[in-house]
Amino acid sequence: MMRPTTRLLIAALLAMMAAACEPGRANGPDNFIGDARRGTDLVKQYHCGSCHDIPGIAGADGNVGPPLHRIGTRTYIAGYIQNSPDSMADWIEDPQRALPGNAMPRMGIPQKDARDIAALLYTLK
Ligand code: HEC
Protein backbone atom coordinates (compact mmCIF):
# COMPACT_ATOMS: atom_id res chain seq x y z
CA MET A 1 0.00 0.00 0.00
CA MET A 2 1.33 3.47 -0.97
CA ARG A 3 1.47 6.12 1.75
CA PRO A 4 -0.74 9.16 1.05
CA THR A 5 2.33 11.44 0.93
CA THR A 6 3.96 9.21 -1.68
CA ARG A 7 0.78 9.25 -3.71
CA LEU A 8 0.64 13.06 -3.48
CA LEU A 9 4.25 13.31 -4.59
CA ILE A 10 3.60 11.12 -7.62
CA ALA A 11 0.50 13.14 -8.51
CA ALA A 12 2.50 16.38 -8.28
CA LEU A 13 5.28 14.97 -10.45
CA LEU A 14 2.78 13.79 -13.06
CA ALA A 15 1.11 17.21 -13.08
CA MET A 16 4.47 18.91 -13.59
CA MET A 17 5.33 16.56 -16.45
CA ALA A 18 1.97 17.20 -18.09
CA ALA A 19 2.47 20.98 -17.78
CA ALA A 20 5.94 20.72 -19.32
CA CYS A 21 4.51 18.84 -22.32
CA GLU A 22 1.65 21.26 -22.93
CA PRO A 23 2.20 22.94 -26.30
CA GLY A 24 3.21 26.56 -25.98
CA ARG A 25 4.38 26.19 -22.39
CA ALA A 26 7.64 24.53 -23.25
CA ASN A 27 9.55 27.58 -24.43
CA GLY A 28 9.86 29.73 -21.35
CA PRO A 29 8.15 32.87 -20.11
CA ASP A 30 7.33 34.35 -23.53
CA ASN A 31 4.87 31.56 -24.14
CA PHE A 32 2.97 31.64 -20.86
CA ILE A 33 -0.18 33.05 -22.43
CA GLY A 34 -0.27 31.14 -25.70
CA ASP A 35 1.85 29.65 -28.45
CA ALA A 36 4.09 32.37 -29.88
CA ARG A 37 5.15 30.20 -32.82
CA ARG A 38 1.53 29.71 -33.82
CA GLY A 39 1.04 33.44 -33.23
CA THR A 40 3.63 34.18 -35.93
CA ASP A 41 1.59 32.25 -38.50
CA LEU A 42 -1.64 33.88 -37.34
CA VAL A 43 -0.26 37.41 -37.63
CA LYS A 44 0.53 36.64 -41.28
CA GLN A 45 -2.84 34.95 -41.81
CA TYR A 46 -4.81 37.91 -40.36
CA HIS A 47 -2.63 40.46 -42.24
CA CYS A 48 -1.85 42.52 -39.13
CA GLY A 49 1.17 43.70 -41.16
CA SER A 50 -1.03 45.57 -43.61
CA CYS A 51 -1.58 48.13 -40.84
CA HIS A 52 1.42 47.58 -38.55
CA ASP A 53 5.17 47.44 -38.83
CA ILE A 54 6.01 44.23 -36.95
CA PRO A 55 9.63 43.20 -36.40
CA GLY A 56 10.45 39.68 -37.55
CA ILE A 57 7.36 39.31 -39.76
CA ALA A 58 8.21 39.42 -43.47
CA GLY A 59 6.21 42.06 -45.33
CA ALA A 60 4.66 43.49 -42.15
CA ASP A 61 5.43 47.13 -42.84
CA GLY A 62 2.01 48.81 -42.67
CA ASN A 63 1.73 52.35 -41.38
CA VAL A 64 -2.00 52.69 -40.65
CA GLY A 65 -1.54 51.92 -36.96
CA PRO A 66 1.50 52.29 -34.71
CA PRO A 67 4.59 50.11 -35.20
CA LEU A 68 4.63 47.18 -32.76
CA HIS A 69 8.33 47.41 -31.95
CA ARG A 70 8.90 46.52 -28.28
CA ILE A 71 5.14 46.28 -27.69
CA GLY A 72 5.84 43.48 -25.19
CA THR A 73 7.35 46.00 -22.77
CA ARG A 74 5.03 48.95 -23.55
CA THR A 75 3.20 50.36 -20.50
CA TYR A 76 -0.09 51.15 -22.27
CA ILE A 77 -1.95 49.61 -25.20
CA ALA A 78 -3.37 52.31 -27.47
CA GLY A 79 -2.39 54.87 -24.83
CA TYR A 80 -5.22 53.86 -22.50
CA ILE A 81 -5.13 50.21 -21.47
CA GLN A 82 -2.57 48.93 -18.96
CA ASN A 83 -0.51 46.40 -20.92
CA SER A 84 -0.68 42.82 -19.63
CA PRO A 85 -0.83 39.48 -21.44
CA ASP A 86 -4.58 39.26 -20.74
CA SER A 87 -5.39 42.83 -21.79
CA MET A 88 -3.29 42.33 -24.95
CA ALA A 89 -5.24 39.18 -25.83
CA ASP A 90 -8.53 41.02 -25.13
CA TRP A 91 -7.41 43.88 -27.36
CA ILE A 92 -6.62 41.57 -30.27
CA GLU A 93 -9.85 39.61 -29.81
CA ASP A 94 -11.96 42.75 -29.91
CA PRO A 95 -10.31 46.18 -29.92
CA GLN A 96 -13.71 47.87 -30.12
CA ARG A 97 -14.84 46.26 -26.86
CA ALA A 98 -11.48 47.10 -25.26
CA LEU A 99 -11.58 50.76 -26.30
CA PRO A 100 -14.78 51.73 -28.14
CA GLY A 101 -14.32 54.02 -31.10
CA ASN A 102 -10.59 53.50 -31.66
CA ALA A 103 -9.33 53.08 -35.24
CA MET A 104 -8.42 49.36 -35.12
CA PRO A 105 -11.28 47.28 -36.53
CA ARG A 106 -12.77 44.23 -34.84
CA MET A 107 -11.50 41.32 -36.93
CA GLY A 108 -13.50 38.44 -35.41
CA ILE A 109 -10.41 36.74 -34.00
CA PRO A 110 -11.21 33.75 -31.73
CA GLN A 111 -9.88 33.92 -28.16
CA LYS A 112 -7.39 31.08 -28.67
CA ASP A 113 -5.87 32.81 -31.71
CA ALA A 114 -5.81 36.13 -29.85
CA ARG A 115 -3.84 34.55 -27.00
CA ASP A 116 -1.31 32.97 -29.38
CA ILE A 117 -0.87 36.34 -31.14
CA ALA A 118 -0.46 38.07 -27.75
CA ALA A 119 2.26 35.52 -26.91
CA LEU A 120 4.08 36.47 -30.10
CA LEU A 121 3.72 40.21 -29.40
CA TYR A 122 5.16 39.64 -25.93
CA THR A 123 8.38 38.33 -27.52
CA LEU A 124 8.89 41.87 -28.97
CA LYS A 125 11.01 43.59 -26.33
C1 HEC B 1 -7.07 48.17 -40.56
C2 HEC B 1 -5.85 48.41 -39.87
C3 HEC B 1 -5.46 47.49 -38.72
C4 HEC B 1 -5.35 46.12 -38.71
C5 HEC B 1 -5.64 45.16 -39.84
C6 HEC B 1 -4.82 45.77 -37.41
N1 HEC B 1 -4.65 46.88 -36.64
FE1 HEC B 1 -3.82 46.95 -34.78
N2 HEC B 1 -4.17 48.96 -34.71
C7 HEC B 1 -4.67 49.71 -35.75
C8 HEC B 1 -4.76 51.09 -35.31
C9 HEC B 1 -5.25 52.26 -36.15
C10 HEC B 1 -4.29 51.12 -33.98
C11 HEC B 1 -4.19 52.34 -33.05
C12 HEC B 1 -5.36 52.38 -32.11
C13 HEC B 1 -5.22 53.48 -31.10
O1 HEC B 1 -4.14 53.72 -30.58
O2 HEC B 1 -6.26 54.10 -30.79
C14 HEC B 1 -3.92 49.76 -33.65
C15 HEC B 1 -3.37 49.39 -32.44
C16 HEC B 1 -2.85 48.14 -32.17
C17 HEC B 1 -2.11 47.80 -30.99
C18 HEC B 1 -1.74 48.76 -29.87
C19 HEC B 1 -0.47 49.45 -30.33
C20 HEC B 1 0.08 50.49 -29.41
O3 HEC B 1 1.11 51.07 -29.77
O4 HEC B 1 -0.46 50.73 -28.34
C21 HEC B 1 -1.77 46.49 -31.09
C22 HEC B 1 -0.99 45.68 -30.09
C23 HEC B 1 -2.32 46.00 -32.34
N3 HEC B 1 -2.97 47.03 -32.96
C24 HEC B 1 -2.19 44.71 -32.79
C25 HEC B 1 -2.77 44.25 -33.97
C26 HEC B 1 -2.74 42.87 -34.37
C27 HEC B 1 -2.06 41.75 -33.62
C28 HEC B 1 -3.42 42.81 -35.55
C29 HEC B 1 -3.75 41.57 -36.36
C30 HEC B 1 -4.52 40.58 -35.68
C31 HEC B 1 -3.85 44.13 -35.88
N4 HEC B 1 -3.44 44.98 -34.89
C32 HEC B 1 -4.53 44.48 -37.04
C33 HEC B 1 -5.02 49.27 -37.00
C34 HEC B 1 -5.03 47.96 -37.41
Side-chain angles (χ1 to χ4, degrees):
M1 236 306 268
M2 243 186 257
R3 294 202 343 246
T5 43
T6 314
R7 236 181 293 159
L8 264 178
L9 198 67
I10 291 172
L13 277 171
L14 285 174
M16 277 163 64
M17 282 162 63
C21 293
E22 217 172 278
R25 291 262 175 107
N27 296 319
D30 286 337
N31 277 340
F32 59 106
I33 183 178
D35 183 342
R37 262 176 309 182
R38 187 166 176 267
T40 306
D41 293 336
L42 291 169
V43 155
K44 294 174 189 158
Q45 189 184 311
Y46 287 116
H47 301 287
C48 310
S50 62
C51 288
H52 294 285
D53 193 332
I54 313 172
I57 306 291
D61 58 359
N63 197 24
V64 178
L68 302 184
H69 299 241
R70 299 178 62 208
I71 189 75
T73 58
R74 186 85 54 79
T75 307
Y76 292 104
I77 300 169
Y80 280 94
I81 300 157
Q82 190 85 42
N83 193 3
S84 74
D86 282 332
S87 60
M88 180 62 81
D90 287 349
W91 171 267
I92 295 162
E93 193 184 341
D94 189 347
Q96 293 305 317
R97 185 183 58 206
L99 184 64
N102 90 84
M104 176 161 154
R106 173 188 290 133
M107 296 168 72
I109 297 180
Q111 190 178 59
K112 162 94 176 76
D113 290 2
R115 293 183 78 80
D116 290 344
I117 292 170
L120 163 74
L121 295 184
Y122 260 74
T123 66
L124 305 175
K125 297 193 166 144

